[in-house]
Amino acid sequence: MNRRTWIKTGAAALGGGLMLPTRSAAALPATFDHEAARTAQEHLWRGEALPQSASTPNTASPAAEGGDRPARVVTPNGVSLTGRRADDGAWVYHLLAEEVEHEYAPGLSAFCWGYNGRVHGPTIEAVEGDRVRIYVTNRLGAPTTVHWHGLFLPSGMDGVGGLSQPPILPGETFAYEFTLRQHGTFMYHSHHDEMTQMALGMMGLFVVHPRRALRPVDRDYAIMLGEWYLRPGTRRPDPNAMGDFNVLTMNARCFPGTAPLVAQTGERVRIRFGNLSAMDHHPVHLHGFAWRVVETDGGVLPEAGRWPETTVLVPTGSTRTVEFVADAPGDWAMHCHMTHHVMNQMGHGIPNTVGADLGPLDPPTRHLLPDYMAMGEHGMGEMAEHIGMGHMDVPENSIPMVGGRGPFGTITMGGMFTILKVRDRLTDAPGWYENPPGTVAALADAEALARDSIAT
């Protein structure tokens, strides 16, 4: 019995022959053919003419901000940079290092440093064997360099300021040029005063596709994990922070600002995780599925080295690529499993009030602070509820520690949290999943409690 059959059977057992859901959603474009799209992309990426039968790749899929090739990877909340073919055959890219006003989530933004007007920078996509020429223009007020993290290249192209090259001074443009000798998921980041520059956002993903597809997938996602310290009310990340980071991000966005991932039921999904956090590893957990780690930044894992698991640890300075079949429709949480990494600001440095009787504190305190409202004796979920209902404000340029609206109320999560939406039929805006009758946890009634001898 597979999982979907099990769910159907379970629903019938709970609800007595309940019907499967009917979801009013449009299908993927009728003309869209995954295999044809992949074929078209392969041809385009090899610079070959499209076969007559190849359809246009799905325009609702990966996004590129310019280049001669279509993007193949979806970077939620981001875009790809795919390169422009030069007359000498090299693929040319251009990164502009500059200050960027960046939004982590609605209500929380800061002045960061990034590339091409983005934080993090665009995902660079290329193909194994490409000769790449990457220009880096420094529009910052400080020298910088770019390190191509994990790539095999000449020492002088490695991007370590003072060691492998002179720093790129403000106003200068440097050219990096090398041949891509491997494929996989890599990263790039500043390697000059990197404590400051990476803390301000100067990093991105670098995906090198194999010349010939090894394991075709239907959805290919890329997520960079990061951490920041941004004191509530300020608008500049603090690069001197060494711990207790209070903004934990996926592609530089924190929940509820993270874009969901989507897949159609039965599709094979690949997710590429990179981690350039200053101090922390991140165990990323996906609900509802077991995936296999198929690649690291050191190469493809042999079949014997892959095992099913629901959480993958992504060490800082590393990438991990997982794959799985999205065989169960629903809205599934995906998040770092370090619990302080799924919270936002305002949870740091406060006294522990769990279990305390705070009621008597309110009247005298309100003489000094009219809007004072003691809370925390039952945890911090109530804070999200109060803020969501408009009962209390938060400091300027800050967001609650947890809280986003869900179909059943407040989702008491923040930080590195997002949602995988699997649907039998996809639309541009899939909305919330309509669970089959009898498959949602609900209040137990007295009859059921008595039947099963449950004392409450």
Side-chain angles (χ1 to χ4, degrees):
M1 178 183 294
N2 62 32
R3 174 161 47 182
R4 299 197 69 196
T5 305
W6 180 84
I7 290 174
K8 294 176 184 176
T9 305
L14 287 168
L18 297 172
M19 296 178 62
L20 287 173
T22 54
R23 285 178 287 282
S24 55
L28 284 171
T31 56
F32 183 74
D33 182 321
H34 287 283
E35 187 60 36
R38 278 198 295 270
T39 300
Q41 291 181 342
E42 291 291 336
H43 280 267
L44 287 168
W45 276 81
R46 290 200 297 268
E48 300 170 358
L50 287 175
Q52 291 298 318
S53 59
S55 65
T56 302
N58 186 0
T59 55
S61 291
E65 64 173 14
D68 293 345
R69 303 181 277 197
R72 298 170 64 178
V73 173
V74 175
T75 305
N77 298 113
V79 298
S80 288
L81 194 62
T82 63
R84 176 177 52 81
R85 195 71 179 267
D87 291 341
D88 62 359
W91 287 93
V92 176
Y93 300 80
H94 190 191
L95 293 178
L96 302 169
E98 56 193 350
E99 183 169 277
V100 178
E101 185 173 9
H102 171 67
E103 182 188 77
Y104 297 93
L108 180 64
S109 61
F111 291 103
C112 303
W113 291 0
Y115 298 99
N116 297 17
R118 295 182 172 279
V119 173
H120 303 302
T123 296
I124 294 176
E125 291 192 59
V127 176
E128 181 181 15
D130 281 355
R131 183 75 176 172
V132 295
R133 186 179 301 136
I134 306 173
Y135 292 95
V136 178
T137 297
N138 184 1
R139 291 182 175 174
L140 299 168
T144 190
T145 63
V146 177
H147 166 58
W148 315 102
H149 189 111
L151 290 171
F152 302 152
L153 36 63
S155 172
M157 294 290 169
D158 198 39
V160 180
L163 173 64
S164 45
Q165 66 165 89
I168 309 170
L169 300 179
E172 291 184 338
T173 297
F174 271 40
Y176 296 84
E177 183 164 340
F178 45 88
T179 298
L180 298 172
R181 298 164 50 199
Q182 71 231 83
H183 62 81
T185 305
F186 309 97
M187 301 178 283
Y188 64 93
H189 61 83
S190 165
H191 216 304
H192 184 80
D193 190 14
E194 64 178 84
M195 181 195 80
T196 299
Q197 298 191 8
M198 291 178 68
L200 292 173
M202 298 189 71
M203 60 186 71
L205 288 158
F206 197 137
V207 175
V208 182
H209 299 284
R211 178 60 56 175
R212 300 290 175 185
L214 300 178
R215 301 180 311 280
V217 294
D218 300 294
R219 305 277 169 178
D220 195 339
Y221 290 103
I223 295 176
M224 175 72 86
L225 308 172
E227 58 189 12
W228 318 66
Y229 184 73
L230 185 61
R231 188 181 299 277
T234 66
R235 293 178 60 80
R236 184 80 67 178
D238 184 355
N240 296 314
M242 295 186 180
D244 211 16
F245 296 94
N246 63 358
V247 180
L248 286 298
T249 57
M250 292 177 160
N251 289 334
R253 300 276 292 187
C254 57
F255 186 76
T258 50
L261 285 62
V262 299
Q264 189 160 333
T265 306
E267 287 186 332
R268 176 168 288 277
V269 179
R270 174 183 297 149
I271 307 178
R272 307 166 185 265
F273 295 106
N275 180 13
L276 284 177
S277 298
M279 300 295 287
D280 288 300
H281 313 310
H282 300 293
V284 181
H285 173 56
L286 174 63
H287 294 210
F289 302 93
W291 52 33
R292 292 174 188 264
V293 181
V294 299
E295 291 181 2
T296 71
D297 37 8
V300 177
L301 294 179
E303 288 283 350
R306 305 173 190 173
W307 58 83
E309 58 184 359
T310 64
T311 302
V312 60
L313 180 64
V314 189
T316 188
S318 301
T319 71
R320 295 290 183 269
T321 299
V322 300
E323 293 178 2
F324 62 99
V325 175
D327 59 357
D331 287 332
W332 302 102
M334 187 174 77
H335 57 91
C336 178
H337 219 287
M338 289 190 176
T339 54
H340 282 203
H341 293 180
V342 285
M343 53 186 271
N344 298 314
Q345 301 164 303
M346 301 175 61
H348 299 72
I350 61 175
N352 179 10
T353 57
V354 174
D357 180 8
L358 300 177
L361 292 177
D362 282 356
T365 307
R366 284 176 180 156
H367 287 297
L368 300 172
L369 299 170
D371 296 329
Y372 178 78
M373 181 186 299
M375 62 178 61
E377 59 266 48
H378 303 297
M380 296 309 293
E382 60 181 328
M383 183 185 73
E385 296 283 355
H386 282 297
I387 294 173
M389 291 186 290
H391 295 168
M392 62 181 292
D393 295 326
V394 297
E396 183 180 355
N397 196 41
S398 66
I399 54 178
M401 185 170 67
V402 294
R405 299 302 300 173
F408 299 104
T410 301
I411 302 172
T412 52
M413 306 290 277
M416 287 181 177
F417 178 90
T418 189
I419 299 170
L420 170 66
K421 293 178 173 291
V422 181
R423 299 289 187 272
D424 290 336
R425 292 182 181 274
L426 279 178
T427 64
D428 290 340
W432 297 113
Y433 181 64
E434 297 178 19
N435 296 277
T439 65
V440 178
L443 183 67
D445 59 32
E447 181 181 354
L449 295 174
R451 179 193 63 208
D452 296 324
S453 302
I454 301 297
T456 63

